[in-house]
């Protein structure tokens, strides 16, 4: 190799191409994602074969350091040079693609999501991760080279969505994805420093203050329906057209959720065979989710209903039925019944109801009843709040359950979750409680 012209180094592809213009034999060495070239001058006559065709060769080292060669031939010298140039261009593209730090973030993060996240999380969770990346990360950082992204870029991204008025939880999801992604890059030594180290998530109180909002305790942000609102909701839900046909399909399902605390997916996943009316209990076995249609990990058009396991291990439980819940079940069966193995809240063909249709119908009832728009989970919050805070009985006493009992009914692993996120505390009962404790 002593007759090689020493042209190794961080040569660009254009510089390598210039070498080819003067030499017909090129040595390519791939090292740490950088193409290094060495060119060997040759005698034109030596590469003009007896049959009148020209010959050229590219030498390269594979990942194990073993020397390899790729030969090219053509009727003219220019034709061979063009073939070598095209081959080196493709070689260069492959090296760049294999160097994660030089890839664009959208390409690199998309690959990371498909390879590492898709096989390890629930389909609904993956849909949310992909959606966050697509709409909150790629528009701002997607075109940047991964290795060039700084802590300042991360902070600018987070600040942008905060200033746009996005919820703290939404921006935190962006932060969480970026944290996992850049940790992966750092652990794999694709990048020397993690830009997330100097870009901590904005403190919630500061985040809320920047939007002119108050950082309230979690229990104060829990939304529930008042007894008056429940009355309005039920009155609207059972309204009929002039011919007696119900305006809203499956409206009794919302009453069932209000009296059992079922999640939307749990209610929609109920089969008639899961219900024991004689013993007044529901056996929760499965849940329903709506997810993006996919071919492998690649999203295609449309969405589909997925029936699968419940949210957590503690979600698989038995839920007792009060009389209102029993009546709701009977109303649903009177409206549609396709057999014991069909969903209680079925579509018109006896299949599972799509969650999006179920939610839209609920929002229509709220709007028609003149009630503030609140998520379906409000029914579950109302159920939990009534049980913990208690319901006043005809004799004036208050009947209530302990947070631990309510946690078991809701399928929570701990009562702390129930108290913190599901129960709106009633402090009115504390009035005058300190009387007689005067020091």
């Amino acid at each position: 190799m002593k007759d090689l012209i020493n042209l190794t180094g961080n040569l660009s592809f254009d510089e390598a191409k210039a070498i080819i213009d003067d030499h017909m034999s090129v040595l390519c060495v791939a090292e740490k994602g950088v193409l290094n070239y060495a060119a060997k001058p040759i005698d034109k006559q030596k590469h003009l074969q007896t049959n009148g065709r020209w010959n050229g060769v590219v030498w390269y080292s594979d990942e194990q350091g073993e020397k390899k060669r790729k030969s090219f031939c053509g009727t003219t010298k220019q034709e061979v040079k063009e073939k070598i140039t095209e081959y080196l261009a493709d070689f260069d593209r492959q090296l760049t693609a294999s160097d994660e730090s030089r890839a664009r973030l959208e390409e690199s993060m998309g690959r990371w999501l498909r390879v590492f996240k898709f096989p390890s999380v629930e389909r609904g969770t993956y849909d949310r991760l992909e959606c966050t990346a697509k709409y909150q990360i790629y528009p701002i950082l997607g075109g940047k080279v991964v290795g060039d992204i700084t802590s300042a870029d991360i902070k600018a991204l987070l600040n942008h969505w905060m200033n746009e008025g996005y919820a703290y939880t939404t921006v935190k999801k962006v932060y969480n994805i970026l944290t996992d992604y850049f940790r992966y890059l750092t652990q794999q030594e694709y990048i020397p420093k993690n830009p997330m180290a100097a870009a901590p998530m904005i403190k919630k109180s500061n985040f809320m203050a920047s939007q002119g909002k108050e950082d309230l305790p979690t229990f104060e942000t829990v939304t529930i329906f008042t007894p008056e609102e429940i009355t309005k909701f039920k009155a609207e839900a059972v309204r009929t057209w002039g011919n007696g046909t119900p305006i809203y399909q499956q409206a009794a399902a919302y009453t069932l959720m209000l009296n059992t605390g079922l999640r939307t997916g749990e209610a929609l996943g109920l089969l008639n065979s899961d219900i024991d009316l004689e013993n007044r209990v529901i056996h929760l076995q499965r849940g329903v989710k709506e997810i993006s249609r996919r071919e492998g990990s690649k999203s295609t058009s449309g969405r589909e209903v997925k029936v699968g396991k419940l949210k957590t291990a503690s979600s698989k439980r038995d839920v007792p039925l009060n009389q209102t819940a029993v009546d709701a079940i009977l109303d649903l069966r009177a409206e549609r019944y396709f057999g014991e193995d069909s969903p209680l809240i079925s579509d018109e063909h006896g299949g599972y109801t799509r969650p999006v249709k179920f939610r839209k119908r609920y929002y229509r009832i709220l709007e028609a009843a003149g009630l503030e728009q609140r998520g379906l989970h409000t029914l579950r919050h109302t159920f939990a709040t009534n049980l913990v805070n208690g319901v006043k009985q005809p004799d004036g006493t208050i009947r209530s359950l302990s947070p631990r009992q309510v946690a078991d009914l809701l399928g929570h692993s701990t009562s702390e979750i129930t108290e913190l996120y599901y129960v709106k505390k009633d402090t009115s009962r504390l009035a005058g409680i300190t009387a007689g404790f005067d020091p």
Side-chain angles (χ1 to χ4, degrees):
M1 301 296 290
K2 63 182 180 180
D3 56 345
L4 285 176
I5 297 177
N6 185 17
L7 293 173
T8 58
N10 293 343
L11 296 178
S12 68
F13 171 71
D14 289 337
E15 291 171 321
K17 183 176 180 301
I19 294 173
I20 299 171
D21 289 338
D22 296 323
H23 305 89
M24 290 295 292
S25 182
V26 181
L27 172 66
C28 305
V29 183
E31 181 180 1
K32 294 183 180 180
V34 178
L35 263 183
N36 293 322
Y37 301 93
K40 179 180 179 182
I42 62 168
D43 186 334
K44 171 183 174 181
Q45 296 300 321
K46 289 182 181 179
H47 285 265
L48 184 60
Q49 299 178 351
T50 56
N51 61 3
R53 294 176 64 82
W54 286 83
N55 182 48
V57 63
V58 172
W59 294 89
Y60 64 93
S61 297
D62 62 16
E63 293 179 353
Q64 285 73 41
E66 185 178 349
K67 187 178 175 183
K68 299 288 182 71
R69 60 177 284 167
K70 175 74 174 177
S71 299
F72 304 87
C73 62
T75 56
T76 66
K77 179 180 178 180
Q78 183 61 31
E79 181 184 351
V80 175
K81 282 168 41 176
E82 288 175 355
K83 287 182 177 180
I84 293 177
T85 300
E86 182 180 353
Y87 176 78
L88 288 177
D90 183 63
F91 196 92
D92 190 50
R93 283 192 296 269
Q94 290 183 43
L95 282 178
T96 300
S98 68
D99 181 4
E100 206 73 18
S101 69
R102 303 317 302 162
R104 303 292 175 183
L105 181 133
E106 182 172 351
E107 175 189 351
S108 174
M109 180 174 281
R111 183 163 50 245
W112 169 73
L113 285 171
R114 292 189 298 273
V115 173
F116 291 95
K117 288 296 183 181
F118 184 77
S120 61
V121 299
E122 290 287 329
R123 287 280 298 275
T125 301
Y126 185 79
D127 284 352
R128 290 189 290 274
L129 290 173
E130 192 176 62
C131 186
T132 297
K134 181 177 180 179
Y135 293 106
Q136 273 82 53
I137 298 177
Y138 296 163
I140 297 176
L141 294 181
K144 285 184 173 289
V145 173
V146 169
D148 294 341
I149 293 175
T150 65
S151 299
D153 294 324
I154 303 296
K155 290 295 288 185
L157 172 70
L158 300 176
N159 290 339
H160 170 80
W161 295 118
M162 176 182 70
N163 295 333
E164 287 291 311
Y166 278 66
Y168 178 82
T169 52
T170 300
V171 180
K172 185 69 182 291
K173 289 175 184 176
V174 173
Y175 176 82
N176 289 341
I177 292 179
L178 290 171
T179 297
D180 287 350
Y181 168 67
F182 279 105
R183 183 189 297 121
Y184 150 76
L185 292 178
T186 307
Q187 290 174 343
Q188 295 298 315
E189 298 184 351
Y190 291 130
I191 55 176
K193 294 175 63 177
N194 189 340
M196 300 301 294
M201 180 59 191
I202 309 159
K203 191 177 179 181
K204 187 178 180 181
S205 58
N206 295 336
F207 185 100
M208 302 297 283
S210 72
Q211 295 183 340
K213 302 174 183 176
E214 187 179 359
D215 182 18
L216 297 171
T218 304
F219 70 84
E220 289 191 26
T221 63
V222 174
T223 58
I224 64 170
F225 288 113
T226 66
E228 295 75 22
E229 289 175 325
I230 292 174
T231 300
K232 288 183 180 179
F233 182 88
K234 287 183 175 180
E236 176 60 31
V238 298
R239 270 202 318 121
T240 60
W241 299 109
N243 60 3
T245 304
I247 294 176
Y248 308 101
Q249 299 178 33
Q250 306 162 308
Y254 307 115
T255 300
L256 176 63
M257 292 173 65
L258 186 61
N259 284 270
T260 55
L262 298 183
R263 300 178 177 96
T264 301
E266 293 172 344
L268 297 182
L270 273 178
L271 299 182
N272 284 295
S273 57
D274 297 326
I275 303 166
D276 182 353
L277 288 181
E278 182 179 350
N279 294 302
R280 294 190 168 219
V281 66
I282 288 174
H283 306 293
L284 288 179
Q285 308 288 334
R286 72 197 64 75
V288 165
K289 297 178 182 178
E290 194 162 0
I291 58 176
S292 298
R293 286 197 180 97
R294 294 181 182 276
E295 292 180 1
S297 62
K298 185 178 179 181
S299 178
T300 59
S301 61
R303 296 177 67 79
E304 62 184 356
V305 170
K306 178 178 182 291
V307 182
K309 63 182 182 180
L310 295 166
K311 185 177 181 181
T312 63
S314 56
S315 297
K316 191 173 182 179
R317 62 196 189 279
D318 290 345
V319 179
L321 299 170
N322 59 23
Q323 187 57 50
T324 304
V326 170
D327 292 340
I329 291 171
L330 294 176
D331 288 343
L332 287 166
R333 287 180 171 176
E335 183 178 345
R336 286 178 189 162
Y337 182 77
F338 291 89
E340 284 296 290
D341 293 330
S342 67
L344 171 69
I345 309 170
S346 65
D347 62 17
E348 58 271 24
H349 304 296
Y352 290 97
T353 295
R354 291 181 60 192
V356 64
K357 288 187 175 180
F358 192 67
R359 282 194 298 271
K360 285 181 178 179
R361 193 176 303 140
Y362 163 78
Y363 291 133
R364 283 174 52 210
I365 296 174
L366 286 180
E367 184 177 8
L371 298 175
E372 178 187 350
Q373 292 289 300
R374 279 163 283 189
L376 267 169
H377 226 56
T378 303
L379 299 172
R380 185 168 158 89
H381 289 165
T382 303
F383 173 76
T385 297
N386 287 341
L387 292 180
V388 172
N389 289 342
V391 177
K392 194 171 184 178
Q393 303 301 303
D395 62 1
T397 60
I398 294 179
R399 187 178 183 183
S400 64
L401 299 180
S402 69
R404 178 65 263 176
Q405 289 174 312
V406 177
D408 289 339
L409 289 174
L410 295 176
H412 289 160
S413 58
T414 68
S415 59
E416 286 80 5
I417 296 174
T418 306
E419 290 188 275
L420 185 59
Y421 297 105
Y422 281 79
V423 177
K424 191 170 186 67
K425 293 185 179 179
D426 180 10
T427 57
S428 63
R429 291 184 296 171
L430 299 177
I433 198 171
T434 57
F437 287 87
D438 309 67

